[in-house]
Amino acid sequence: MTLTLITRRTRTLSEIFTWWTSSLQFIFMAIFGLWVINKAGGLVYQRSFADGLAQLTSNEYLVLAGTLHGIHAITSRLSPIPGQSSGAQVIEGETFKISVLLTLTGTKFILLTSPAEPASSIDVLLQKIYTTYAEKVMQNPFHTPEMPIRSEAFDDWIHIITLSLRS
Amino acid sequence: MTIYSLYIYDRHCTCVYYHDWHRTRRPKLAVEGGILPAVSQAVVALAAETNSSTLTIYSSPRNTLTSASGVVVAVNEMNAQSAVSPLLQAPPSPVGISSTGLAFDEEVKLVYGVVLSLRNMIKKLSGRDEQFLNYRTSAYKLHLFETLSGYKFVMLSDPGTESLRFVLRQIYVGPFLEYVVRNPLVNMDSKEYGIDNEYFRTSVDRMIRGSSFFP
């Protein structure tokens, strides 16, 4: 309870003193979860790392992933300036943010983190996860493309990669 | 840093106000009946002007204001647009080209749909009554401020901008309360009219142009 109060407080302060909170961001770092969405909008991997967000059922996660897939497509069409726009890359709430990496094949990697997490380290992390996905999932002859990922090796590697940022 | 556009939605999911600044390509004009009157003149087709002007000038009590009595406080009819000063008149939008390729009424619905879905998603994910703040793509950033009464202020800016929630709040606390809520001639919550009027538009325009993030 006190923790949410503290995070709320820093959120309001951050709008006024951005310079001040930039020094605080190291205190409130957390990775809440990782999703992998296939090119059809189906959730093929979902994992939670830290408390702080609601515990949802797998069905609810499926619905949310589908919604996000749709929103991502629409946001790329709403650009007010001429030229191509990507879909939503970062979506921010008050106590967490959603970062999206869209790969060339249409697979989306979604990372839920605390809002203070710097964008650069999230990008690095998402790229690492993508590499791991290529190595441990796509190179696995027993994996069916576009189907849920059930791979212990992938699980372990994700655990190791995210540890570096979580500690 | 650039501001592109501002949308205001009421609690009935309808767009009641639209304003744009550095938008090089406007949306296509809305189809007739696609959006409410008095939302923005820049994006409304003026087909109704010629045939309805003689009719509605007597049917609506609001039009007493557009006589030569002085200041126009609420312009709620499309055919009263000639009374608006040329400063506020947006330059004619180029026909046929738009960044989104959508008509304005469709664009408005898409923006609302995205905002509403994301808001619900954030609420669901956090498990609390948490607000959705903004999202960013490679070309723009969308900011949301929602009031307790269900009015949603949506602003599009360039992707490098910090959170503009405080600006949207300022618009709400300043011009919106002053020239819309406290204006008895603006028919809020009517589902028939937008809230566009000269004072509100000028005031919002001045506020945005005067702010530090406006080039």
Side-chain angles (χ1 to χ4, degrees), chain A residues 3 6-7 10 21 24-30 113-117:
Chain A
L3 189 71
I6 291 166
T7 23
T10 43
T21 46
L24 270 181
Q25 70 186 14
F26 303 105
I27 303 169
F28 304 111
M29 294 223 284
T113 60
S114 54
E117 210 79 63

Side-chain angles (χ1 to χ4, degrees), chain B residues 92-114:
Chain B
S93 66
V95 181
I97 41 166
S98 73
S99 58
T100 53
L102 297 166
F104 179 70
D105 51 334
E106 289 168 13
E107 181 188 299
V108 156
K109 283 175 199 158
L110 277 187
V111 169
Y112 189 81
V114 166

Side-chain angles (χ1 to χ4, degrees), chain A:
Chain A
M1 187 59 202
T2 44
L3 189 71
T4 49
L5 276 177
I6 291 166
T7 23
R8 283 262 167 96
R9 178 115 182 98
T10 43
R11 221 23 236 171
T12 43
L13 282 174
S14 73
E15 283 165 12
I16 312 159
F17 306 111
T18 36
W19 58 269
W20 185 65
T21 46
S22 63
S23 60
L24 270 181
Q25 70 186 14
F26 303 105
I27 303 169
F28 304 111
M29 294 223 284
I31 300 177
F32 296 121
L34 168 72
W35 305 354
V36 181
I37 300 178
N38 68 15
K39 62 184 171 203
L43 190 65
V44 291
Y45 188 81
Q46 187 276 322
R47 190 163 159 187
S48 301
F49 298 111
D51 298 332
L53 298 183
Q55 293 297 317
L56 304 173
T57 63
S58 50
N59 236 345
E60 285 172 316
Y61 278 120
L62 272 172
V63 173
L64 285 181
T67 316
L68 194 64
H69 181 75
I71 291 171
H72 193 269
I74 297 172
T75 48
S76 65
R77 293 204 57 197
L78 286 179
S79 171
I81 51 170
Q84 281 288 316
S85 168
S86 72
Q89 291 170 331
V90 181
I91 300 162
E92 281 187 73
E94 281 170 303
T95 61
F96 71 102
K97 68 176 176 181
I98 306 170
S99 309
V100 182
L101 171 72
L102 175 67
T103 67
L104 283 174
T105 50
T107 309
K108 278 191 274 294
F109 292 86
I110 312 239
L111 205 61
L112 296 107
T113 60
S114 54
E117 210 79 63
S120 52
S121 65
I122 287 179
D123 288 346
V124 171
L125 189 67
L126 278 169
Q127 284 298 335
K128 274 190 192 165
I129 292 170
Y130 183 25
T131 313
T132 314
Y133 170 81
E135 284 174 2
K136 301 293 168 195
V137 179
M138 295 317 285
Q139 290 182 18
N140 179 356
F142 299 106
H143 174 70
T144 324
E146 311 298 320
M147 292 306 274
I149 299 166
R150 300 193 193 287
S151 160
E152 216 167 281
F154 184 62
D155 276 346
D156 292 346
W157 272 101
I158 293 297
H159 181 71
I160 293 165
I161 291 170
T162 50
L163 263 188
S164 63
L165 210 89
R166 274 187 284 162
S167 57

Side-chain angles (χ1 to χ4, degrees), chain A residues 79-82, chain B residues 1-6 19-25 135-143 154-168 207-215:
Chain A
S79 171
I81 51 170
Chain B
M1 297 222 241
T2 317
I3 305 278
Y4 294 122
S5 49
L6 168 73
H19 201 154
D20 61 15
W21 288 273
H22 285 271
R23 218 175 148 169
T24 42
R25 294 184 175 186
Y135 77 77
R136 175 167 64 75
T137 78
S138 65
Y140 68 98
K141 188 168 180 177
L142 179 145
H143 310 260
V154 177
M155 187 172 262
L156 266 61
S157 72
D158 77 321
T161 321
E162 288 287 311
S163 179
L164 289 181
R165 239 172 109 76
F166 73 98
V167 181
L168 294 173
M207 181 178 262
I208 297 297
R209 283 181 198 278
S211 58
S212 58
F213 42 80
F214 198 84

